[in-house]
Amino acid sequence: ALNVINNQASDDKAFKQSKKVLNMAVTTASATDNVLQDLLRYDLNVANAIISVIKEQGITDLVLGLHQGKGVVSSFLGNMTEAILGQSNVTTLIYRPIQPIATVKRHLVVVPARAEKEVGFPMWVNKVWNIIHNSGAKAVFYASEDTTMYLKEIYKKRPIEAEFSSFDDWDDFLIISRDVKENDALMIVMSRRTYPSYVRNMAMIPTYLNKYFNKHSCILIYPMQ
């Protein structure tokens, strides 16, 4: 767990608050029999601090959490996230929690066409499987026919309760909103620009999430490159 403090801060209020947050994270992890290493870093730029820690610690997976009740703002994805994605190749997940994951009944997983052609495909598939399996919830995958074939082949070896729905038109992304029910959560697989599964309309995802899916937890997944 990493907490970044502006290195121009003159008092210890930010330090105390950061230590409080990190201690709470360590305690919560300990309660689930997990060991969490807390990291406190001073830097003028949050993105730069994260990138440096990724390299220093040999991190392979990055989770960026959004405060509950705040939207997935375009500036967040456009500025800080673009800087991180542009200078690191780790699997990156951006999580907006609305409800406890244990209360989620279904995970709607939206996957772009050609996702299987990206290097990080098996890594994020494994993470999605772990989330769904450990939560005991059902999965509904929205993907192209070709990508669905790969997903079914992988999950055949590690069965979970899942349905598959044909979907490959991100210009009509909002069609998924008709299927969303109470206690559903969304996982949306994204891509870095210029990579095989990148779709121009991915830039609209923050707007869609804030306007049409604002009552549902969501995870944006950027595959490792």
Side-chain angles (χ1 to χ4, degrees):
L2 170 67
N3 199 298
V4 181
I5 300 177
N6 189 311
N7 61 11
Q8 294 187 340
S10 57
D11 56 37
D12 64 350
K13 183 178 179 179
F15 173 80
K16 291 180 179 178
Q17 180 61 30
S18 293
K19 290 299 293 183
K20 180 180 179 180
V21 171
L22 288 171
N23 289 336
M24 186 181 300
V26 170
T27 301
T28 302
S30 178
T32 60
D33 294 325
N34 289 295
V35 177
L36 184 69
Q37 180 183 356
D38 57 316
L39 298 169
L40 183 61
R41 189 180 184 93
Y42 286 87
D43 203 299
L44 185 60
N45 182 282
V46 174
N48 184 67
I50 293 173
I51 293 165
S52 297
V53 170
I54 288 173
K55 295 177 180 179
E56 293 167 3
Q57 302 292 327
I59 290 170
T60 59
D61 304 296
L62 173 66
V63 179
L64 299 173
L66 297 177
H67 290 293
Q68 187 172 0
K70 291 193 175 182
V72 185
V73 293
S74 298
S75 60
F76 177 85
L77 294 179
N79 296 329
M80 188 173 81
T81 305
E82 284 296 329
I84 295 170
L85 295 174
Q87 297 184 58
S88 69
N89 66 347
V90 300
T91 302
T92 302
L93 297 90
I94 302 174
Y95 178 43
R96 182 189 68 182
I98 298 297
Q99 68 181 93
I101 195 167
T103 66
V104 172
K105 301 300 182 184
R106 297 194 308 169
H107 293 283
L108 309 187
V109 187
V110 187
V111 186
R114 299 178 297 280
E116 70 279 1
K117 298 185 181 299
E118 304 227 10
V119 174
F121 178 70
M123 289 75 168
W124 73 253
V125 167
N126 184 60
K127 289 171 178 56
V128 167
W129 185 91
N130 284 331
I131 292 172
I132 295 169
H133 175 73
N134 291 327
S135 67
K138 180 180 180 180
V140 181
F141 289 90
Y142 295 84
S144 67
E145 291 184 8
D146 288 344
T147 303
T148 295
M149 181 179 66
Y150 282 92
L151 290 170
K152 286 183 176 180
E153 191 64 29
I154 293 174
Y155 287 129
K156 186 189 302 181
K157 301 173 184 177
R158 305 171 69 189
I160 54 175
E161 186 180 359
E163 292 181 2
F164 296 87
S165 180
S166 180
F167 174 80
D168 58 7
D169 185 5
W170 282 56
D171 287 331
D172 198 20
F173 185 90
L174 293 181
I175 195 172
I176 294 172
S177 66
R178 299 188 307 202
D179 297 339
V180 178
K181 303 175 182 177
E182 187 178 1
N183 295 322
D184 282 350
L186 282 85
M187 297 186 200
I188 304 174
V189 181
M190 307 285 278
S191 180
R192 293 163 168 83
R193 293 179 185 273
T194 75
Y195 283 89
S197 66
Y198 179 77
V199 180
R200 174 179 51 83
N201 268 25
M202 286 179 177
M204 293 298 297
I205 294 301
T207 300
Y208 294 154
L209 291 177
N210 291 337
K211 188 172 183 179
Y212 301 102
F213 305 96
N214 62 323
K215 296 181 179 179
H216 298 85
S217 297
C218 65
I219 301 177
L220 301 183
I221 304 171
Y222 290 84
M224 183 195 78
Q225 299 294 348

